[in-house]
Amino acid sequence: MPRARSVLGMLLSLREPPTAVFAEQDEVAVALIWNLRKTRIAVPERISVLGFDDQPLADWFDLSTVAQSPSDMGREAGELALKLIDDSGADHDRHVVLPTYVIPRATTAPVARAMAWGEGEPGGEQVRE
């Protein structure tokens, strides 16, 4: 996990570090949370983490995630592939958007009022946008 730690270090060293990270997979999000907690950065109090896939481990780790039906994606991809094979005039640039669902769990929270990273734990009011 050396690459993840270097990316994490780069993000946290920014003048204005992110308040949230959206990982491309739930597995990556869980690894990120592990590294954040290892460096004593509270999730979600300091930084929220959101995964993608809604794998079983997302539920096990109480990870907020985005769900999309794998069977719908596979069916749509198969139909598109067959159309391209069967119809030489098919639209090669066709773009399909399938429904997605955010599943909020314990790794995301509203953004805390701005404060320096070196200060104590965030507290007080929350900013909602």
Side-chain angles (χ1 to χ4, degrees):
M1 194 66 82
R3 186 171 184 269
R5 274 182 255 150
S6 65
V7 171
L8 178 61
M10 180 196 68
L11 288 173
L12 298 177
S13 68
L14 294 171
R15 192 170 71 84
E16 292 185 35
T19 59
V21 175
F22 181 39
E24 63 193 31
Q25 298 173 328
D26 290 336
E27 293 85 355
V28 173
V30 168
L32 175 63
I33 291 167
W34 184 82
N35 279 292
L36 285 165
R37 290 183 175 155
K38 188 175 174 186
T39 57
R40 300 180 194 270
I41 296 172
V43 175
E45 295 82 5
R46 280 280 189 206
I47 190 167
S48 291
V49 178
L50 182 71
F52 188 89
D53 286 336
D54 194 31
Q55 295 296 315
L57 77 106
D59 192 28
W60 302 335
F61 286 92
D62 211 12
L63 172 70
S64 297
T65 188
V66 174
Q68 190 172 44
S69 170
S71 57
D72 289 349
M73 288 189 294
R75 182 177 45 255
E76 195 66 41
E79 288 174 8
L80 285 171
L82 286 174
K83 187 163 189 141
L84 290 172
I85 292 167
D86 293 340
D87 181 2
S88 61
D91 180 6
H92 289 137
D93 295 326
R94 183 167 175 223
H95 182 80
V96 176
V97 177
L98 297 173
T100 57
Y101 308 93
V102 175
I103 301 173
R105 293 189 179 114
T107 61
T108 51
V111 177
R113 185 173 297 280
M115 69 182 299
W117 273 71
E119 296 178 17
E121 288 301 309
E125 299 177 36
Q126 300 281 322
V127 176
R128 294 185 184 197
E129 297 178 8

